[in-house]
Amino acid sequence: MEKKEKEFFNKIKTIAEEIKKNDNFVVLHHYDADGVSSGAIICKALERENKKFKVKWVKQLYSEDIKEIKGLGKKYLFVDFGSNYLKELKKEFGKNFIVIDHHQASGNSEFHLNPLNFGIDGGKEISAAGLAFLVAKELNEKNSDLSALAVIGACGDMQDSGGQLTGLNARILKEAEKEKIVSVKNDLRLYGRIGRPLAQFLVYSNSPVLPELTANEEACVQFLKNNHIPVKRNEQWLSYDDLGPDYKKKFVSALILHMQNHNVPEWKLQSMIGEVYTLEKEERKTPLRDAKEFATLLNACGRYGEADVGRNVCMGDREKWYQKALGLLQEHRINLRSGIDFVMQRGVEEKENFYFFDAEDKIKESIVGIIAGMLYGSGAIQDNKPIIAFARNEDGGIKVSARGTQDLIRKGLNLGGVLKKVCLELGEKSEGGGHKIAAGCRIDLEEKEIFLQKLDKKIKQSYT
Ligand SMILES: [Mn+2]
């Protein structure tokens, strides 16, 4: 074992020992799929050690949250965030806190587990759920059954986006395979292979967007018909996973051919095939059976302010909380669908350098970006310009979501950079940023027109 890796596993030991020695924990975890699954792993492990604990999730760790939980317990455990707050945590809790995180850290502390400090890529090779799993296993061999949650967390943070899990993730996966908790195969990686009827499988595909299929149900139904793919058997809608090997092959070749006919580049086609993870202990045909679908279920819970629901499902509930989670997932699908319908009906407006639409309060600000991205497949817009979506914030302001395409990025577009610049010009109240291909910001209602003008100029400049 390499020296650094040895140190990494020593740190895991240190943290497990610290947990063993103490009681009365307060667990604070992030609200996305990785945050929820890592929080659940830690809670389950504490439960099995007969430790008392309180647990709470937050969307983002703020100083107020840190102050708010002070006094609720004796030992504070931060999962999937905290690395950037070590100084503050020291000030509030002295030595009585543990951080398990994989984001960029500032400083270090005794009970701080972060792969980046050991030369391990926290963006690709392990997520908070993987770290939590290693700690849990160090606490008790029995916790090896939680490996599925580590895989779910990694998928939630898109650490499988290269087509497979690598590094420590791959090692955890091997273990999960050996214990028959997860099985791995190479297959079509589109989201919803198990839980969605075939037409919906295509309609809601947004990674990648399928030209003339994504967000266009009629076209998807026609596509299946033209290629003689059965969509029902015994009055039951079929999912991709229900198709036999021959029909699967037929489906994949038809889809690839369709993409090639729409000039989708080779690398993107290749990214559609890769590892898929089946959770063998989960019931067939449920969204818990596939790691990515499980992660989406958790994200849906978080998005609608119910990350507790997701955590309870992760911890094993398959009754009340699971039913509630299914309801939230259903609500999410309905919202996506009616959001798409709304935009298709209202139509998209156009400036010289981008498309845009204002959903006002008709689409939730938390999903308006997803819908904007899906429009590239719908036929409502071409892929020659980025798309900007507006929705109302809770505070009455405007949430701006921007989406582009790989091709535009190659030509120089950087949406995160552009939004940041525009916001700076609008004054300090507005803030913005994000990635090149997807970004967001908040502006005041009355700033919309000037924002559109400034944006048009800045996007143009980014190509030169
Ligand atoms: Mn994470």
Side-chain angles (χ1 to χ4, degrees):
M1 212 188 286
E2 242 183 281
K3 187 169 160 257
K4 283 240 169 177
E5 197 181 296
K6 217 169 172 177
E7 283 171 17
F8 171 73
F9 281 99
N10 278 337
K11 182 63 105 177
I12 287 173
K13 271 201 183 103
T14 308
I15 289 186
E17 275 159 23
E18 187 64 8
I19 291 176
K20 269 221 153 90
K21 268 194 271 177
N22 286 278
D23 204 352
N24 288 319
F25 291 88
V26 179
V27 179
L28 202 65
H29 66 82
H30 196 212
Y31 84 129
D32 68 3
D34 184 44
V36 169
S37 38
S38 52
I41 290 171
I42 291 297
C43 290
K44 200 78 201 168
L46 289 174
E47 206 176 84
R48 286 174 172 171
E49 298 300 305
N50 291 315
K51 304 285 186 191
K52 287 197 245 353
F53 66 90
K54 294 192 176 79
V55 54
K56 189 177 152 66
W57 63 270
V58 287
K59 197 166 170 177
Q60 214 184 325
L61 189 58
Y62 288 115
S63 315
E64 302 93 83
D65 299 304
I66 296 173
K67 292 207 165 71
E68 202 192 302
I69 57 163
K70 205 181 169 183
L72 289 182
K74 277 192 185 143
K75 206 77 185 174
Y76 297 81
L77 247 160
F78 297 87
V79 199
D80 200 22
F81 46 36
S83 283
N84 210 8
Y85 278 86
L86 296 175
K87 223 169 134 192
E88 229 173 323
L89 294 174
K90 269 182 210 167
K91 213 178 94 203
E92 293 296 334
F93 305 113
K95 280 189 151 200
N96 288 318
F97 73 92
I98 297 168
V99 170
I100 298 174
D101 191 5
H102 63 132
H103 298 97
Q104 211 61 52
S106 51
N108 209 345
S109 76
E110 198 178 349
F111 305 114
H112 173 221
L113 175 64
N114 191 317
L116 300 170
N117 288 342
F118 304 92
I120 299 166
D121 185 346
K124 280 252 167 290
E125 290 177 34
I126 193 160
S127 71
L131 295 169
F133 171 70
L134 295 177
V135 170
K137 248 197 65 187
E138 183 62 38
L139 268 170
N140 191 333
E141 215 24 69
K142 235 178 25 194
N143 291 325
S144 67
D145 64 338
L146 303 176
S147 56
L149 292 175
V151 175
I152 293 164
C155 289
D157 270 3
M158 309 219 277
Q159 299 196 331
D160 65 330
S161 60
Q164 65 192 74
L165 288 173
T166 58
L168 287 167
N169 277 329
R171 261 197 255 175
I172 294 172
L173 182 65
K174 270 251 143 48
E175 224 181 287
E177 261 189 291
K178 223 172 73 198
E179 302 200 21
K180 302 203 163 25
I181 295 170
V182 180
S183 68
V184 187
K185 61 180 172 195
N186 270 298
D187 205 338
L188 191 59
R189 296 181 72 246
L190 297 190
Y191 166 77
R193 69 189 174 98
I194 290 181
R196 284 188 169 171
L198 277 165
Q200 266 68 41
F201 182 52
L202 296 170
V203 173
Y204 291 102
S205 174
N206 62 355
S207 140
V209 166
L210 312 173
E212 281 176 31
L213 291 174
T214 296
N216 190 340
E217 187 159 1
E218 228 170 284
C220 292
V221 170
Q222 199 56 47
F223 172 86
L224 292 166
K225 211 177 199 169
N226 291 346
N227 290 291
H228 310 288
I229 310 286
V231 293
K232 258 186 175 181
R233 192 183 295 144
N234 303 330
E235 292 307 301
Q236 288 254 24
W237 292 107
L238 296 178
S239 72
Y240 171 74
D241 200 54
D242 293 329
L243 297 175
D246 290 344
Y247 276 122
K248 266 189 185 167
K249 230 187 222 160
K250 205 167 169 182
F251 180 88
V252 174
S253 340
L255 190 58
I256 300 273
L257 186 65
H258 172 89
M259 305 281 275
Q260 280 168 339
N261 288 341
H262 287 82
N263 301 316
V264 174
E266 192 56 34
W267 63 266
K268 211 180 224 176
L269 295 178
Q270 273 166 17
S271 77
M272 288 166 61
I273 307 290
E275 287 183 353
V276 295
Y277 312 107
T278 303
L279 308 187
E280 295 293 340
K281 307 281 181 197
E282 303 294 345
E283 210 171 306
R284 279 167 205 279
K285 287 180 88 77
T286 68
L288 304 184
R289 182 90 172 162
D290 173 80
K292 260 207 283 203
E293 290 183 54
F294 200 135
T296 300
L297 178 107
L298 297 181
N299 279 327
C301 293
R303 222 181 271 282
Y304 296 100
E306 304 270 10
D308 287 328
V309 174
R311 190 185 58 245
N312 283 312
V313 173
C314 288
M315 288 180 71
D317 179 275
R318 293 293 177 271
E319 286 166 20
K320 175 179 130 197
W321 298 106
Y322 177 49
Q323 288 308 323
K324 196 157 181 198
L326 287 180
L328 288 164
L329 187 62
Q330 186 64 15
E331 188 182 326
H332 182 53
R333 284 178 194 173
I334 291 171
N335 286 342
L336 282 183
R337 183 191 203 112
S338 63
I340 291 164
D341 286 349
F342 172 81
V343 180
M344 295 303 243
Q345 249 166 42
R346 155 120 13 147
V348 175
E349 295 177 75
E350 192 173 0
K351 292 267 180 195
E352 193 188 333
N353 298 293
F354 61 89
Y355 298 101
F356 73 102
F357 67 89
D358 188 348
E360 292 158 17
D361 57 358
K362 304 294 191 297
I363 300 177
K364 271 184 186 288
E365 53 116 358
S366 60
I367 62 164
V368 76
I370 305 178
I371 290 170
M374 290 172 78
L375 291 181
Y376 280 113
S378 70
I381 58 172
Q382 291 180 293
D383 51 12
N384 59 339
K385 304 176 191 183
I387 171 131
I388 313 297
F390 298 108
R392 284 305 161 271
N393 263 337
E394 283 162 9
D395 61 13
I398 291 179
K399 157 84 180 278
V400 182
S401 297
R403 293 291 184 277
T405 66
Q406 279 304 339
D407 256 1
L408 294 170
I409 306 299
R410 257 185 228 138
K411 287 179 185 147
L413 180 68
N414 176 353
L415 287 170
V418 164
L419 287 190
K420 203 164 187 173
K421 275 187 211 153
V422 174
C423 285
L424 272 176
E425 282 186 15
L426 285 177
E428 51 191 307
K429 246 171 65 188
S430 313
E431 45 180 287
H435 308 283
K436 286 181 179 174
I437 198 159
C441 68
R442 292 160 191 280
I443 58 171
D444 283 342
L445 205 51
E446 56 274 15
E447 286 173 330
K448 188 177 148 187
E449 282 313 312
I450 179 109
F451 175 85
L452 288 170
Q453 280 171 31
K454 284 182 183 295
L455 189 65
D456 210 14
K457 273 194 205 130
K458 291 279 184 244
I459 289 179
K460 187 171 197 169
Q461 284 167 10
S462 70
Y463 295 118
T464 49

PDB file of all heavy atoms in Angstrom, residues 1-26:
ATOM      1  N   MET A   1       0.844  -1.200   0.000  1.00  0.00           N
ATOM      2  CA  MET A   1       0.000   0.000   0.000  1.00  0.00           C
ATOM      3  C   MET A   1       0.883   1.255   0.000  1.00  0.00           C
ATOM      4  O   MET A   1       1.893   1.310   0.697  1.00  0.00           O
ATOM      5  CB  MET A   1      -0.895  -0.004   1.240  1.00  0.00           C
ATOM      6  CG  MET A   1      -2.241   0.648   0.997  1.00  0.00           C
ATOM      7  SD  MET A   1      -3.193   0.834   2.506  1.00  0.00           S
ATOM      8  CE  MET A   1      -3.732  -0.824   2.844  1.00  0.00           C
ATOM      9  N   GLU A   2       0.506   2.181  -0.775  1.00  0.00           N
ATOM     10  CA  GLU A   2       1.241   3.448  -0.826  1.00  0.00           C
ATOM     11  C   GLU A   2       1.176   4.166   0.530  1.00  0.00           C
ATOM     12  O   GLU A   2       0.223   3.989   1.281  1.00  0.00           O
ATOM     13  CB  GLU A   2       0.577   4.347  -1.867  1.00  0.00           C
ATOM     14  CG  GLU A   2       1.487   4.712  -3.027  1.00  0.00           C
ATOM     15  CD  GLU A   2       0.760   5.649  -3.946  1.00  0.00           C
ATOM     16  OE1 GLU A   2      -0.071   5.151  -4.737  1.00  0.00           O
ATOM     17  OE2 GLU A   2       0.985   6.858  -3.840  1.00  0.00           O
ATOM     18  N   LYS A   3       2.170   5.001   0.782  1.00  0.00           N
ATOM     19  CA  LYS A   3       2.237   5.680   2.072  1.00  0.00           C
ATOM     20  C   LYS A   3       0.999   6.555   2.327  1.00  0.00           C
ATOM     21  O   LYS A   3       0.389   6.504   3.384  1.00  0.00           O
ATOM     22  CB  LYS A   3       3.510   6.543   2.114  1.00  0.00           C
ATOM     23  CG  LYS A   3       3.758   7.157   3.484  1.00  0.00           C
ATOM     24  CD  LYS A   3       5.148   7.788   3.581  1.00  0.00           C
ATOM     25  CE  LYS A   3       5.198   8.787   4.706  1.00  0.00           C
ATOM     26  NZ  LYS A   3       5.127  10.181   4.300  1.00  0.00           N
ATOM     27  N   LYS A   4       0.650   7.309   1.306  1.00  0.00           N
ATOM     28  CA  LYS A   4      -0.498   8.222   1.452  1.00  0.00           C
ATOM     29  C   LYS A   4      -1.785   7.459   1.727  1.00  0.00           C
ATOM     30  O   LYS A   4      -2.623   7.889   2.525  1.00  0.00           O
ATOM     31  CB  LYS A   4      -0.675   9.044   0.168  1.00  0.00           C
ATOM     32  CG  LYS A   4       0.314  10.174   0.042  1.00  0.00           C
ATOM     33  CD  LYS A   4      -0.419  11.503  -0.027  1.00  0.00           C
ATOM     34  CE  LYS A   4       0.559  12.631   0.119  1.00  0.00           C
ATOM     35  NZ  LYS A   4      -0.045  13.934  -0.003  1.00  0.00           N
ATOM     36  N   GLU A   5      -1.922   6.346   1.026  1.00  0.00           N
ATOM     37  CA  GLU A   5      -3.135   5.563   1.185  1.00  0.00           C
ATOM     38  C   GLU A   5      -3.205   4.974   2.595  1.00  0.00           C
ATOM     39  O   GLU A   5      -4.270   4.897   3.201  1.00  0.00           O
ATOM     40  CB  GLU A   5      -3.150   4.456   0.134  1.00  0.00           C
ATOM     41  CG  GLU A   5      -4.532   3.865  -0.058  1.00  0.00           C
ATOM     42  CD  GLU A   5      -4.536   2.758  -1.084  1.00  0.00           C
ATOM     43  OE1 GLU A   5      -4.242   3.060  -2.254  1.00  0.00           O
ATOM     44  OE2 GLU A   5      -4.810   1.615  -0.712  1.00  0.00           O
ATOM     45  N   LYS A   6      -2.056   4.591   3.097  1.00  0.00           N
ATOM     46  CA  LYS A   6      -1.973   4.072   4.449  1.00  0.00           C
ATOM     47  C   LYS A   6      -2.441   5.145   5.435  1.00  0.00           C
ATOM     48  O   LYS A   6      -3.204   4.879   6.357  1.00  0.00           O
ATOM     49  CB  LYS A   6      -0.526   3.679   4.743  1.00  0.00           C
ATOM     50  CG  LYS A   6      -0.434   2.437   5.581  1.00  0.00           C
ATOM     51  CD  LYS A   6       1.002   1.958   5.601  1.00  0.00           C
ATOM     52  CE  LYS A   6       1.144   0.829   6.604  1.00  0.00           C
ATOM     53  NZ  LYS A   6       2.492   0.291   6.594  1.00  0.00           N
ATOM     54  N   GLU A   7      -1.965   6.344   5.203  1.00  0.00           N
ATOM     55  CA  GLU A   7      -2.363   7.463   6.075  1.00  0.00           C
ATOM     56  C   GLU A   7      -3.865   7.699   6.010  1.00  0.00           C
ATOM     57  O   GLU A   7      -4.510   7.995   7.005  1.00  0.00           O
ATOM     58  CB  GLU A   7      -1.629   8.746   5.647  1.00  0.00           C
ATOM     59  CG  GLU A   7      -0.185   8.791   6.107  1.00  0.00           C
ATOM     60  CD  GLU A   7       0.564   9.959   5.477  1.00  0.00           C
ATOM     61  OE1 GLU A   7      -0.093  10.893   4.966  1.00  0.00           O
ATOM     62  OE2 GLU A   7       1.803   9.930   5.489  1.00  0.00           O
ATOM     63  N   PHE A   8      -4.400   7.559   4.796  1.00  0.00           N
ATOM     64  CA  PHE A   8      -5.845   7.732   4.601  1.00  0.00           C
ATOM     65  C   PHE A   8      -6.620   6.718   5.445  1.00  0.00           C
ATOM     66  O   PHE A   8      -7.548   7.062   6.173  1.00  0.00           O
ATOM     67  CB  PHE A   8      -6.171   7.585   3.106  1.00  0.00           C
ATOM     68  CG  PHE A   8      -7.634   7.527   2.780  1.00  0.00           C
ATOM     69  CD1 PHE A   8      -8.431   8.670   2.858  1.00  0.00           C
ATOM     70  CD2 PHE A   8      -8.221   6.335   2.364  1.00  0.00           C
ATOM     71  CE1 PHE A   8      -9.779   8.619   2.539  1.00  0.00           C
ATOM     72  CE2 PHE A   8      -9.574   6.283   2.044  1.00  0.00           C
ATOM     73  CZ  PHE A   8     -10.349   7.423   2.131  1.00  0.00           C
ATOM     74  N   PHE A   9      -6.188   5.451   5.374  1.00  0.00           N
ATOM     75  CA  PHE A   9      -6.905   4.434   6.143  1.00  0.00           C
ATOM     76  C   PHE A   9      -6.661   4.578   7.647  1.00  0.00           C
ATOM     77  O   PHE A   9      -7.519   4.216   8.452  1.00  0.00           O
ATOM     78  CB  PHE A   9      -6.563   3.031   5.617  1.00  0.00           C
ATOM     79  CG  PHE A   9      -7.326   2.709   4.359  1.00  0.00           C
ATOM     80  CD1 PHE A   9      -6.740   2.830   3.105  1.00  0.00           C
ATOM     81  CD2 PHE A   9      -8.665   2.340   4.427  1.00  0.00           C
ATOM     82  CE1 PHE A   9      -7.454   2.550   1.944  1.00  0.00           C
ATOM     83  CE2 PHE A   9      -9.396   2.065   3.276  1.00  0.00           C
ATOM     84  CZ  PHE A   9      -8.787   2.180   2.029  1.00  0.00           C
ATOM     85  N   ASN A  10      -5.503   5.134   8.001  1.00  0.00           N
ATOM     86  CA  ASN A  10      -5.266   5.429   9.427  1.00  0.00           C
ATOM     87  C   ASN A  10      -6.243   6.479   9.925  1.00  0.00           C
ATOM     88  O   ASN A  10      -6.753   6.409  11.040  1.00  0.00           O
ATOM     89  CB  ASN A  10      -3.833   5.917   9.643  1.00  0.00           C
ATOM     90  CG  ASN A  10      -2.870   4.755   9.728  1.00  0.00           C
ATOM     91  OD1 ASN A  10      -3.280   3.636  10.046  1.00  0.00           O
ATOM     92  ND2 ASN A  10      -1.604   5.010   9.434  1.00  0.00           N
ATOM     93  N   LYS A  11      -6.485   7.463   9.085  1.00  0.00           N
ATOM     94  CA  LYS A  11      -7.422   8.534   9.452  1.00  0.00           C
ATOM     95  C   LYS A  11      -8.827   7.956   9.656  1.00  0.00           C
ATOM     96  O   LYS A  11      -9.545   8.325  10.580  1.00  0.00           O
ATOM     97  CB  LYS A  11      -7.425   9.603   8.347  1.00  0.00           C
ATOM     98  CG  LYS A  11      -8.310  10.783   8.636  1.00  0.00           C
ATOM     99  CD  LYS A  11      -7.861  11.558   9.861  1.00  0.00           C
ATOM    100  CE  LYS A  11      -7.193  12.846   9.476  1.00  0.00           C
ATOM    101  NZ  LYS A  11      -6.805  13.668  10.616  1.00  0.00           N
ATOM    102  N   ILE A  12      -9.191   7.019   8.804  1.00  0.00           N
ATOM    103  CA  ILE A  12     -10.495   6.367   8.946  1.00  0.00           C
ATOM    104  C   ILE A  12     -10.574   5.654  10.295  1.00  0.00           C
ATOM    105  O   ILE A  12     -11.573   5.747  11.011  1.00  0.00           O
ATOM    106  CB  ILE A  12     -10.727   5.388   7.767  1.00  0.00           C
ATOM    107  CG1 ILE A  12     -11.007   6.212   6.507  1.00  0.00           C
ATOM    108  CG2 ILE A  12     -11.877   4.429   8.049  1.00  0.00           C
ATOM    109  CD1 ILE A  12     -11.084   5.417   5.246  1.00  0.00           C
ATOM    110  N   LYS A  13      -9.479   4.991  10.668  1.00  0.00           N
ATOM    111  CA  LYS A  13      -9.411   4.322  11.973  1.00  0.00           C
ATOM    112  C   LYS A  13      -9.591   5.320  13.104  1.00  0.00           C
ATOM    113  O   LYS A  13     -10.353   5.088  14.042  1.00  0.00           O
ATOM    114  CB  LYS A  13      -8.049   3.633  12.134  1.00  0.00           C
ATOM    115  CG  LYS A  13      -8.037   2.231  11.622  1.00  0.00           C
ATOM    116  CD  LYS A  13      -6.863   1.433  12.250  1.00  0.00           C
ATOM    117  CE  LYS A  13      -6.849   0.047  11.644  1.00  0.00           C
ATOM    118  NZ  LYS A  13      -5.815  -0.135  10.622  1.00  0.00           N
ATOM    119  N   THR A  14      -8.866   6.416  13.009  1.00  0.00           N
ATOM    120  CA  THR A  14      -8.937   7.455  14.047  1.00  0.00           C
ATOM    121  C   THR A  14     -10.376   7.914  14.241  1.00  0.00           C
ATOM    122  O   THR A  14     -10.847   8.074  15.378  1.00  0.00           O
ATOM    123  CB  THR A  14      -8.090   8.687  13.634  1.00  0.00           C
ATOM    124  OG1 THR A  14      -6.791   8.234  13.288  1.00  0.00           O
ATOM    125  CG2 THR A  14      -8.018   9.710  14.742  1.00  0.00           C
ATOM    126  N   ILE A  15     -11.063   8.121  13.126  1.00  0.00           N
ATOM    127  CA  ILE A  15     -12.434   8.621  13.215  1.00  0.00           C
ATOM    128  C   ILE A  15     -13.370   7.563  13.776  1.00  0.00           C
ATOM    129  O   ILE A  15     -14.220   7.851  14.625  1.00  0.00           O
ATOM    130  CB  ILE A  15     -12.884   9.151  11.835  1.00  0.00           C
ATOM    131  CG1 ILE A  15     -12.109  10.450  11.593  1.00  0.00           C
ATOM    132  CG2 ILE A  15     -14.389   9.360  11.769  1.00  0.00           C
ATOM    133  CD1 ILE A  15     -12.440  11.225  10.405  1.00  0.00           C
ATOM    134  N   ALA A  16     -13.187   6.329  13.348  1.00  0.00           N
ATOM    135  CA  ALA A  16     -14.015   5.243  13.886  1.00  0.00           C
ATOM    136  C   ALA A  16     -13.810   5.111  15.400  1.00  0.00           C
ATOM    137  O   ALA A  16     -14.777   4.947  16.155  1.00  0.00           O
ATOM    138  CB  ALA A  16     -13.672   3.932  13.183  1.00  0.00           C
ATOM    139  N   GLU A  17     -12.558   5.226  15.840  1.00  0.00           N
ATOM    140  CA  GLU A  17     -12.269   5.144  17.275  1.00  0.00           C
ATOM    141  C   GLU A  17     -12.935   6.281  18.038  1.00  0.00           C
ATOM    142  O   GLU A  17     -13.491   6.091  19.119  1.00  0.00           O
ATOM    143  CB  GLU A  17     -10.757   5.167  17.521  1.00  0.00           C
ATOM    144  CG  GLU A  17     -10.133   3.784  17.414  1.00  0.00           C
ATOM    145  CD  GLU A  17      -8.627   3.852  17.153  1.00  0.00           C
ATOM    146  OE1 GLU A  17      -7.996   4.889  17.481  1.00  0.00           O
ATOM    147  OE2 GLU A  17      -8.094   2.862  16.612  1.00  0.00           O
ATOM    148  N   GLU A  18     -12.864   7.450  17.461  1.00  0.00           N
ATOM    149  CA  GLU A  18     -13.470   8.619  18.096  1.00  0.00           C
ATOM    150  C   GLU A  18     -14.984   8.421  18.242  1.00  0.00           C
ATOM    151  O   GLU A  18     -15.576   8.816  19.243  1.00  0.00           O
ATOM    152  CB  GLU A  18     -13.155   9.875  17.257  1.00  0.00           C
ATOM    153  CG  GLU A  18     -13.575  11.184  17.873  1.00  0.00           C
ATOM    154  CD  GLU A  18     -12.848  11.529  19.165  1.00  0.00           C
ATOM    155  OE1 GLU A  18     -11.890  10.830  19.526  1.00  0.00           O
ATOM    156  OE2 GLU A  18     -13.279  12.507  19.821  1.00  0.00           O
ATOM    157  N   ILE A  19     -15.598   7.820  17.247  1.00  0.00           N
ATOM    158  CA  ILE A  19     -17.042   7.549  17.313  1.00  0.00           C
ATOM    159  C   ILE A  19     -17.314   6.516  18.411  1.00  0.00           C
ATOM    160  O   ILE A  19     -18.228   6.671  19.219  1.00  0.00           O
ATOM    161  CB  ILE A  19     -17.573   7.064  15.947  1.00  0.00           C
ATOM    162  CG1 ILE A  19     -17.520   8.222  14.929  1.00  0.00           C
ATOM    163  CG2 ILE A  19     -19.004   6.539  16.070  1.00  0.00           C
ATOM    164  CD1 ILE A  19     -17.931   7.867  13.524  1.00  0.00           C
ATOM    165  N   LYS A  20     -16.509   5.487  18.453  1.00  0.00           N
ATOM    166  CA  LYS A  20     -16.674   4.427  19.463  1.00  0.00           C
ATOM    167  C   LYS A  20     -16.610   4.982  20.884  1.00  0.00           C
ATOM    168  O   LYS A  20     -17.378   4.588  21.755  1.00  0.00           O
ATOM    169  CB  LYS A  20     -15.565   3.377  19.296  1.00  0.00           C
ATOM    170  CG  LYS A  20     -15.940   2.245  18.360  1.00  0.00           C
ATOM    171  CD  LYS A  20     -15.473   0.890  18.891  1.00  0.00           C
ATOM    172  CE  LYS A  20     -16.362  -0.210  18.354  1.00  0.00           C
ATOM    173  NZ  LYS A  20     -15.886  -0.777  17.078  1.00  0.00           N
ATOM    174  N   LYS A  21     -15.682   5.921  21.096  1.00  0.00           N
ATOM    175  CA  LYS A  21     -15.414   6.458  22.439  1.00  0.00           C
ATOM    176  C   LYS A  21     -16.516   7.369  22.947  1.00  0.00           C
ATOM    177  O   LYS A  21     -16.594   7.654  24.125  1.00  0.00           O
ATOM    178  CB  LYS A  21     -14.114   7.283  22.397  1.00  0.00           C
ATOM    179  CG  LYS A  21     -12.866   6.484  22.739  1.00  0.00           C
ATOM    180  CD  LYS A  21     -11.705   7.424  23.004  1.00  0.00           C
ATOM    181  CE  LYS A  21     -10.976   7.727  21.709  1.00  0.00           C
ATOM    182  NZ  LYS A  21      -9.873   8.661  21.787  1.00  0.00           N
ATOM    183  N   ASN A  22     -17.336   7.914  22.019  1.00  0.00           N
ATOM    184  CA  ASN A  22     -18.263   8.979  22.408  1.00  0.00           C
ATOM    185  C   ASN A  22     -19.722   8.573  22.281  1.00  0.00           C
ATOM    186  O   ASN A  22     -20.044   7.508  21.774  1.00  0.00           O
ATOM    187  CB  ASN A  22     -17.991  10.216  21.551  1.00  0.00           C
ATOM    188  CG  ASN A  22     -16.709  10.914  21.976  1.00  0.00           C
ATOM    189  OD1 ASN A  22     -16.688  11.677  22.922  1.00  0.00           O
ATOM    190  ND2 ASN A  22     -15.624  10.598  21.284  1.00  0.00           N
ATOM    191  N   ASP A  23     -20.580   9.490  22.735  1.00  0.00           N
ATOM    192  CA  ASP A  23     -22.034   9.258  22.622  1.00  0.00           C
ATOM    193  C   ASP A  23     -22.724  10.613  22.483  1.00  0.00           C
ATOM    194  O   ASP A  23     -22.095  11.651  22.610  1.00  0.00           O
ATOM    195  CB  ASP A  23     -22.537   8.497  23.850  1.00  0.00           C
ATOM    196  CG  ASP A  23     -23.834   7.733  23.532  1.00  0.00           C
ATOM    197  OD1 ASP A  23     -24.386   7.922  22.427  1.00  0.00           O
ATOM    198  OD2 ASP A  23     -24.283   6.960  24.388  1.00  0.00           O
ATOM    199  N   ASN A  24     -24.036  10.581  22.238  1.00  0.00           N
ATOM    200  CA  ASN A  24     -24.824  11.810  22.043  1.00  0.00           C
ATOM    201  C   ASN A  24     -24.315  12.628  20.849  1.00  0.00           C
ATOM    202  O   ASN A  24     -23.773  13.704  21.001  1.00  0.00           O
ATOM    203  CB  ASN A  24     -24.802  12.690  23.305  1.00  0.00           C
ATOM    204  CG  ASN A  24     -25.636  12.076  24.402  1.00  0.00           C
ATOM    205  OD1 ASN A  24     -26.716  11.549  24.137  1.00  0.00           O
ATOM    206  ND2 ASN A  24     -25.118  12.115  25.619  1.00  0.00           N
ATOM    207  N   PHE A  25     -24.544  12.070  19.687  1.00  0.00           N
ATOM    208  CA  PHE A  25     -24.077  12.700  18.453  1.00  0.00           C
ATOM    209  C   PHE A  25     -25.147  13.590  17.839  1.00  0.00           C
ATOM    210  O   PHE A  25     -26.340  13.353  18.019  1.00  0.00           O
ATOM    211  CB  PHE A  25     -23.689  11.632  17.424  1.00  0.00           C
ATOM    212  CG  PHE A  25     -22.461  10.864  17.807  1.00  0.00           C
ATOM    213  CD1 PHE A  25     -22.557   9.722  18.604  1.00  0.00           C
ATOM    214  CD2 PHE A  25     -21.215  11.286  17.382  1.00  0.00           C
ATOM    215  CE1 PHE A  25     -21.430   9.007  18.960  1.00  0.00           C
ATOM    216  CE2 PHE A  25     -20.079  10.579  17.734  1.00  0.00           C
ATOM    217  CZ  PHE A  25     -20.188   9.439  18.530  1.00  0.00           C
ATOM    218  N   VAL A  26     -24.691  14.593  17.127  1.00  0.00           N
ATOM    219  CA  VAL A  26     -25.573  15.363  16.251  1.00  0.00           C
ATOM    220  C   VAL A  26     -25.009  15.208  14.842  1.00  0.00           C
ATOM    221  O   VAL A  26     -23.860  15.563  14.598  1.00  0.00           O
ATOM    222  CB  VAL A  26     -25.611  16.857  16.639  1.00  0.00           C
ATOM    223  CG1 VAL A  26     -26.524  17.630  15.689  1.00  0.00           C
ATOM    224  CG2 VAL A  26     -26.062  17.016  18.083  1.00  0.00           C
TER     225      VAL A  26
END
